[in-house]
């Protein structure tokens, strides 16, 4: 069995978000993505891409995995969807997670056909199960 290449990405803030410069200066490591990477490191080769303060083009150019997971917030939704489209065009399975998706997973899937799955809530177990090929209906938090 081939070990999948998994890229986990924090999307850059959308252009409309006026405090994005402040986020770059106050930004911390994408801790949630690092936790996810640790949870699946035995099942996949994982790379974390931090898009904070970077252009959508430079971040999208780095997403070359079999599976691409994108963390989004309200302030990065547009760019997160652009990254999902870029990753899907490269042939990746695309997954979106993060605090702003929990209430609207069905809406994201309906309006963004390049998003394959949405993970709601803590994603460690769901992402690990998805990579392992467990039956989709048995994966808690997966939409």
């Amino acid at each position: 069995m081939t070990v999948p290449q998994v890229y986990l990405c924090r999307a850059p803030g959308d252009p409309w978000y006026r405090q994005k410069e402040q986020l770059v200066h106050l930004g911390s490591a994408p801790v949630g993505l690092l936790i996810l990477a640790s949870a699946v490191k035995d099942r996949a080769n994982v790379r974390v891409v931090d898009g904070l303060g970077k252009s959508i083009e430079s971040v999208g150019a780095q997403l070359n995995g079999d599976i691409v997971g994108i963390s989004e917030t309200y302030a990065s939704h547009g760019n997160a969807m652009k990254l999902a489209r870029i990753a899907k065009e490269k042939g990746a399975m695309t997954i979106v997670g993060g605090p702003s998706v929990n209430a609207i997973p069905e809406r994201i899937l309906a309006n963004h056909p390049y998003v394959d799955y949405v993970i709601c809530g803590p994603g460690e177990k769901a992402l690990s199960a998805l990579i392992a090929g467990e039956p989709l209906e048995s994966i808690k938090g997966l939409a």
Side-chain angles (χ1 to χ4, degrees):
M1 180 177 163
T2 304
V3 177
Q5 302 295 314
V6 175
Y7 282 62
L8 301 173
C9 176
R10 172 165 53 178
D14 290 345
W16 65 266
Y17 189 65
R18 293 187 179 145
Q19 279 73 38
K20 67 181 177 178
E21 292 82 15
Q22 184 179 20
L23 286 176
V24 171
H25 296 295
L26 299 175
S28 63
V31 176
L33 294 179
L34 296 172
I35 292 169
L36 285 174
S38 178
V40 300
K41 68 180 178 158
D42 294 334
R43 298 183 184 269
N45 294 322
V46 185
R47 181 167 176 212
V48 175
V49 177
D50 189 359
L52 188 63
K54 297 184 174 80
S55 73
I56 195 76
E57 295 81 14
S58 69
V59 176
Q62 296 179 62
L63 302 180
N64 297 308
D66 303 309
I67 300 169
V68 173
I70 302 163
S71 178
E72 73 153 78
T73 62
Y74 175 71
S76 67
H77 175 76
N79 278 340
M81 295 302 104
K82 288 177 187 175
L83 291 173
R85 182 187 297 267
I86 290 167
K88 180 51 75 183
E89 288 172 353
K90 293 180 180 183
M93 173 196 298
T94 57
I95 306 164
V96 176
S100 66
V101 304
N102 292 325
I104 56 168
E106 293 83 8
R107 181 188 274 171
I108 289 173
L109 291 168
N111 292 320
H112 305 284
Y114 36 85
V115 174
D116 294 314
Y117 302 104
V118 174
I119 293 179
C120 299
E124 298 89 337
K125 291 180 182 177
L127 182 60
S128 185
L130 189 60
I131 292 170
E134 293 183 17
L136 299 177
E137 61 276 358
S138 73
I139 302 175
K140 185 177 179 187
L142 185 69

